[in-house]
């Protein structure tokens, strides 16, 4: 009986110690004039080291053909690249990766900009 109590307490302590940080992606609300190209910032706050990011992005307007998705210079110090694949209907899969498995620099702020035609 005494051993069960010790095991239970040890397991409870392990759960408390292994709590992980929260990593979030955010897209702020923007406005833009009709016919204009607007660069939507995608922000990431990360408590852990992040080597790669993949997410789907649904937009109200299509991606601008004149602009390209660009990584923010302050977060791209380790040679990361970004690729975008259209899923149709103004939905896109975005992948940010570094083939050398180096982490993104910094723990918060703008990760990339995504141009759309309003």
């Amino acid at each position: 009986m005494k051993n069960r109590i010790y095991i239970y307490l040890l397991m409870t302590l392990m759960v408390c110690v292994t709590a992980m940080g929260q990593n979030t992606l955010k897209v702020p609300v923007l406005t833009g004039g009709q016919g204009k190209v607007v660069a939507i910032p995608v922000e990431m706050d990360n408590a852990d080291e992040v080597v790669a990011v993949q997410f789907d992005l649904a937009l109200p307007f299509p991606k601008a053909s004149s602009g390209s998705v660009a990584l923010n210079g302050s977060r791209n110090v380790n040679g990361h690249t970004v690729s975008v694949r259209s899923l149709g209907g103004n939905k896109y899969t975005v992948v940010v990766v570094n083939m050398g498995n180096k982490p993104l620099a910094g723990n918060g702020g703008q990760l990339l900009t995504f141009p759309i035609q309003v």
Side-chain angles (χ1 to χ4, degrees):
M1 179 69 172
K2 204 174 204 180
N3 286 341
R4 282 188 184 177
I5 293 173
Y6 287 125
I7 291 172
Y8 177 73
L9 289 174
L10 182 62
M11 289 175 64
T12 305
L13 179 64
M14 287 175 58
V15 169
C16 294
V17 172
T18 59
M20 296 184 68
Q22 185 173 357
N23 304 319
T24 58
L25 287 170
K26 297 183 279 189
V27 178
V29 176
L30 296 174
T31 59
Q34 184 176 2
K36 303 290 182 181
V37 174
V38 176
I40 296 177
V42 177
E43 300 171 356
M44 182 174 77
D45 293 325
N46 53 302
D48 303 317
E49 282 191 341
V50 175
V51 175
V53 178
Q54 177 179 339
F55 58 93
D56 291 339
L57 185 62
L59 298 171
F61 301 102
K63 180 181 171 297
S65 58
S66 62
S68 63
V69 177
L71 288 169
N72 186 335
S74 65
R75 301 279 318 241
N76 186 26
V77 296
N78 289 329
H80 283 76
T81 58
V82 62
S83 64
V84 177
R85 180 174 170 233
S86 176
L87 300 175
N90 299 336
K91 295 179 184 175
Y92 304 91
T93 295
V94 180
V95 178
V96 179
V97 68
N98 180 299
M99 298 310 286
N101 284 335
K102 296 178 183 176
L104 285 163
N107 289 344
Q110 185 175 322
L111 178 63
L112 58 89
T113 55
F114 199 102
I116 64 169
Q117 180 79 38
V118 177

